[in-house]
Amino acid sequence: MARSSSHRGPARPAGPPRQATTRSANAAALPWWAATCFFVSGAAGLLYEVVWSKQLSLVLGNSLHAISTVVAAFLCGLALGAWLLGRQLTHPTQGARRYALLELGIAALGLLSIPVPQLLDPVIGAFAAGFGPGTALFAAARFAVVFASLLPPTLLMGATLPVLVEHFEHVLVGPALARLYAINTIGAVAGSLLGGFALIPGLGLRLTACTAAAFNLIAASIALAFARPASAARDAAGVAGAASPARATRTADDSPLGRPERIAVGVALALSGFAALAFQIAWVRLFGLLLGSSVYSFSGVLAVYLSGLALGSALTGRFMSRLGSLAAFAALQAGIAVSAAAAVWLFPGLPETFLALVQRAGTNWWTLFGTELLLVAAVIFVPCTLLGAVFPIAARLISSGDGGRAVGRAYAANTLGTIAGSLAAGYALVPVIGVQGTHVAALALSALVAVIALAAAARARVLPAPVAGATLAALVAAPALAILAPAWNPIEMSAGVFRPAARAWIEGVTQGVERDRVRSALGREKMLLYREGLNGSVLVTRDTLGRNTIMRINGKVDASDNDMLTQVLSGLVPAAMAPPGARALVIGQGSGVTLASVLAAGAGRTDLVELEPSVIDGSRFFHERGHDPLDDPRVRVVLDDGRTVLQHARERYGL
């Protein structure tokens, strides 16, 4: 039976005073071996995710559908591992040994996963041939295959946190969870930067996966060394290199919440995970416009995001005795909403700010990259830090004398929320309400979570009046800030200030202008279409004299009236080398001029493969009514990744 929030627990055994016991549990440091293991494990996990994503992209393509398949399969495995294996494997005295065995298993399965993409290639090809690329049946079959291939290692990954937390906090979740979560996230930051900047460019995907497996073996070896009885005894005595955290014991002040309140916290944690991933998707798309879509820019955004999460979790561990309450959880969610609403005010000025910072950075690459990190941090670091504090506090609130298992439940709930948030943001929110709208929707959801937590705290009668007043004030301020914030100008946001050529053009056009150079340079363009689609943001503009139509995709000019020679010859040259009426394949629509040239040269049935549907709509502005090549009966449009179509339908085009 669930205990009510007023339950005082069993009589306390003889020993240190209650206050001293709680303080020691909160103040003690993790032993160095546990911190090292989870840091290394976090780096390995991120490396695996990057390697698997890139390997599978060679089979699945780079569309949002393919990327979402890999990420969702990865996260589903983590959630199931935390919930199912975490519940079965947690043990208060065998945690180090079981954690080591999990790391050994991850290393073995990580190595075995290296040839998996090549093995999946014919299977995916058969599905593509049977169901057709881009169909719902093909997407479902593709997800099932990828999920099955990633499930074994990710199950083990998901179980590591509950098992190790149980080793230190088998009764009451507290500082050890927060610190382990923070250290693991810092390791993920290191893995992101190491993989993106050194390992993958220098060693390739296979050796990077081997490096991740080596990290798992290092973590397993260290944990096994401290799982031995003699070492465990010394560790408990506080002489094994560092003080071991005192076992957190439940006291009268740490009584569990009632079952309804714990359920409310679980739902709130899932919604918080949904909002966190919606934020992340919106921020990646936002900074993709400003910084470009290179691996370095993506790694930088991810590093700032994870660094904020790590800092928030670390601070929570330090002050867990004060923050581990429903009222604090509600206040954190309200803080996320307010800080995210304040960030909306920064959006319109980001292109101009980035342009000014780049000019000061000069030509040094590291200075430029540091400038990008500072710009990203100015927008997202505060809400990310608050997001990092949410999980450890929620896990503490969910626990009811079952530390490791409670962590597994909390981790599963949060991860399922992140899966839903990722899919909803990528497939629905961004295409329908845009990047800025998705950001505002995520902060509104954070505010809703704060309301749920406030209601649960009021029901449990653990809501101090000052905290309630401050939280309610924040909940009033957040929507007001978001509603009053100006919307960004799509033309300025898509100016491509990350490209040296674009910056040089802006500076050349606005010589002598000190402020608002981006706006001044682009003031002569009229917007014809702006869509924030599934795979990118598409902008079509025309100058005020009507002489030049320009299509920009993610801030980069992909087609314009000033580049007709290249677009026309790209279609005429291959068509001239083929027999009349030959079947043709055009990858990438752009302005549609290349497609028109292929058709004009006498091609037969022609397949146009385009990744982003919004490009199809944008291309119509480059053609007079009645002369659009998309209206030609010979043309069949395939919305998919070009490499995927080529790989699985070579015989169709005689390749």
Side-chain angles (χ1 to χ4, degrees), residues 132-133 583-586 595 599 604-610 629-630 632-639 645 649 652-653:
R583 185 165 188 171
L585 170 68
V586 178
L595 174 63
L599 297 172
R605 182 177 177 182
T606 300
D607 289 346
L608 169 71
V609 180
E610 173 56 52
L630 292 173
D632 193 301
R634 291 173 287 174
V635 174
R636 182 175 73 107
V637 177
V638 179
L639 295 174
V645 173
R652 183 181 300 169
Y653 307 105

Side-chain angles (χ1 to χ4, degrees), residues 209-305:
C210 292
T211 303
F215 286 171
N216 293 131
L217 293 176
I218 291 171
S221 300
I222 295 173
L224 279 176
F226 285 89
R228 296 171 183 170
S231 297
R234 289 195 303 271
D235 191 30
V239 295
S244 175
R247 277 248 194 240
T249 56
R250 192 172 290 283
T251 70
D253 296 331
D254 295 314
S255 301
L257 295 172
R259 180 177 176 81
E261 288 78 22
R262 294 203 305 275
I263 292 175
V265 172
V267 172
L269 183 58
L271 293 176
S272 179
F274 186 107
L277 257 292
F279 276 131
Q280 185 180 3
I281 296 294
W283 293 336
V284 167
R285 292 287 296 269
L286 165 66
F287 288 107
L289 288 172
L290 292 169
L291 311 180
S293 55
S294 70
V295 65
Y296 305 111
S297 298
F298 177 78
S299 296
V301 174
L302 184 60
V304 173
Y305 181 87

Side-chain angles (χ1 to χ4, degrees), residues 471-505:
T471 304
L472 289 173
L475 292 176
V476 172
L481 283 171
I483 292 171
L484 295 175
W488 70 42
N489 185 326
I491 296 178
E492 296 172 20
M493 193 62 70
S494 301
V497 289
F498 58 89
R499 301 178 65 240
R503 295 198 298 270
W505 177 78

